[in-house]
């Protein structure tokens, strides 16, 4: 199965259903099931941002030490890859006309020209599965239970 490594806290925000788009500076033509690998790095400053901290606390994550790292933590379906077209008063406009509001735009970099990977069908694994991450999309041979 294809996989992508995402730094914490964003990987967990996806698995909690709080983050609907993963933003990247590059697009992909791949669509389908995608394993979410929580990288070894945690962006500690991001965890203190009000919207991110509130989403984590709302889901019972009260400290950075509760974020799994170096593991596949679940799967999603990559539905679409949409260019961010422009900003507007309350958020961003994607190329397909969809509007991105807070708190979603607080969970990614929707600068015009970047890409919003639309994620659906979030399935968190019962336990994180240790795995070594890689850059870009990569193949993961593990089991999703």
């Amino acid at each position: 199965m294809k996989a992508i490594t995402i730094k914490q806290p964003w990987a967990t925000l996806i698995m909690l259903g709080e983050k609907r788009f993963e933003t990247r500076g590059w697009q992909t033509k791949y669509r389908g099931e995608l394993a979410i690998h929580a990288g070894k790095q945690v962006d500690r400053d991001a965890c203190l941002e009000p919207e991110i901290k509130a989403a984590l606390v709302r889901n019972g994550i009260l400290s950075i030490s509760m974020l799994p790292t170096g593991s596949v933590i679940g799967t999603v379906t990559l539905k679409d890859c949409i260019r961010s077209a422009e900003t507007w008063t309350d958020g961003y406009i994607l190329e397909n006309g969809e509007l991105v509001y807070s708190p979603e735009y607080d969970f990614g970099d929707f600068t015009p020209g970047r890409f919003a990977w639309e994620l659906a069908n979030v399935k968190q694994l019962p336990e994180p599965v240790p795995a070594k991450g890689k850059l870009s999309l990569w193949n993961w041979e593990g089991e999703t239970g």
Side-chain angles (χ1 to χ4, degrees):
M1 150 183 334
K2 292 290 184 194
I4 190 163
T5 298
I6 300 174
K7 192 184 288 190
Q8 288 287 29
W10 296 282
T12 289
L13 290 172
I14 291 168
M15 287 299 100
L16 295 172
E18 297 277 351
K19 179 174 165 62
R20 220 178 106 223
F21 294 101
E22 170 60 13
T23 56
R24 295 280 159 153
W26 50 280
Q27 67 181 339
T28 181
K29 294 188 183 309
Y30 176 78
R31 303 292 182 273
E33 194 171 27
L34 185 63
I36 301 297
H37 176 266
K40 288 188 176 183
Q41 293 183 359
V42 177
D43 186 329
R44 294 176 179 279
D45 291 337
C47 292
L48 300 175
E49 290 294 322
E51 291 293 343
I52 293 173
K53 184 175 183 176
L56 294 172
V57 168
R58 183 169 51 249
N59 288 280
I61 298 171
L62 307 177
S63 74
I64 292 171
S65 66
M66 296 176 74
L67 296 170
T69 57
S71 302
V72 171
I73 59 174
T75 63
V76 298
T77 301
L78 175 54
K79 263 179 74 173
D80 207 353
C81 181
I82 313 154
R83 185 185 300 272
S84 181
E86 60 184 284
T87 59
W88 66 294
T89 308
D90 294 323
Y92 294 87
I93 303 172
L94 301 181
E95 201 170 56
N96 65 356
E98 185 169 352
L99 304 176
V100 179
Y101 298 94
S102 181
E104 182 69 44
Y105 70 70
D106 296 305
F107 300 156
D109 179 356
F110 290 89
T111 302
R114 290 180 55 85
F115 295 90
W117 294 21
E118 186 177 9
L119 309 175
N121 303 320
V122 175
K123 296 177 188 155
Q124 191 168 1
L125 295 179
E127 294 293 326
V129 177
K132 185 175 178 179
K134 298 178 185 176
L135 296 176
S136 193
L137 291 178
W138 50 280
N139 292 316
W140 181 59
E141 305 298 330
E143 295 293 320
T144 59

